[in-house]
Amino acid sequence: MAYLARQPATSQAELSWKVQCNAPGTIKKLNLRAPRTEFESGQVRFSVTVDGQTDASVPEYYVRNFSPSDHNPNAQVIEITATLTGGQGANAWQHTQLFRESIDSPCSNAFELEIEFH
């Protein structure tokens, strides 16, 4: 198996993707697919931040038709953050995984980010 996880012996980690545009209101909408795997009490949570204000908590592993202009019509920066926490025991750091997939069948759990511009 291959996946992204926290460093051993850590209780939390964050991974972010940031899109910054030069002109205000350039980003029309985005679609996000970010598969995750959780074991024991591990949790992976995603959030979407527009121009420094967290606007959406992502309950599932995908976001469809998120429109930054609904939150800020002049939006220039979108940041998507995955926060990995929890788990139990010595292997707690492995109990939160992003993009877990078999090495024999790559790309089945790929990260996808589609951005539509005005």
Side-chain angles (χ1 to χ4, degrees):
M1 295 302 235
Y3 53 85
L4 293 177
R6 305 188 314 246
Q7 290 286 327
T10 58
S11 61
Q12 179 176 322
E14 289 186 350
L15 182 63
S16 295
W17 298 267
K18 188 175 190 177
V19 177
Q20 183 170 349
C21 297
N22 291 331
T26 304
I27 303 167
K28 183 175 180 180
K29 90 179 153 177
L30 72 89
N31 293 318
L32 165 69
R33 181 179 177 273
R36 60 185 173 218
T37 305
E38 301 167 339
F39 297 99
E40 303 291 334
S41 62
Q43 295 184 343
V44 178
R45 297 292 175 253
F46 284 89
S47 62
V48 178
T49 301
V50 178
D51 286 339
Q53 299 295 316
T54 300
D55 283 322
S57 178
V58 183
E60 300 296 328
Y61 67 89
Y62 61 89
V63 173
R64 297 257 188 257
N65 299 317
F66 179 82
S67 177
S69 61
D70 290 346
H71 306 276
N72 178 352
N74 296 314
Q76 288 183 266
V77 180
I78 293 179
E79 188 169 8
I80 300 159
T81 302
T83 303
L84 294 75
T85 61
Q88 296 177 339
N91 292 325
W93 63 277
Q94 289 183 313
H95 292 170
T96 52
Q97 302 173 0
L98 294 174
F99 323 129
R100 178 186 169 105
E101 65 183 14
S102 169
I103 294 173
D104 298 328
S105 60
C107 297
S108 61
N109 275 327
F111 173 80
E112 296 176 13
L113 177 60
E114 296 176 350
I115 300 174
E116 184 178 329
F117 299 96
H118 285 281

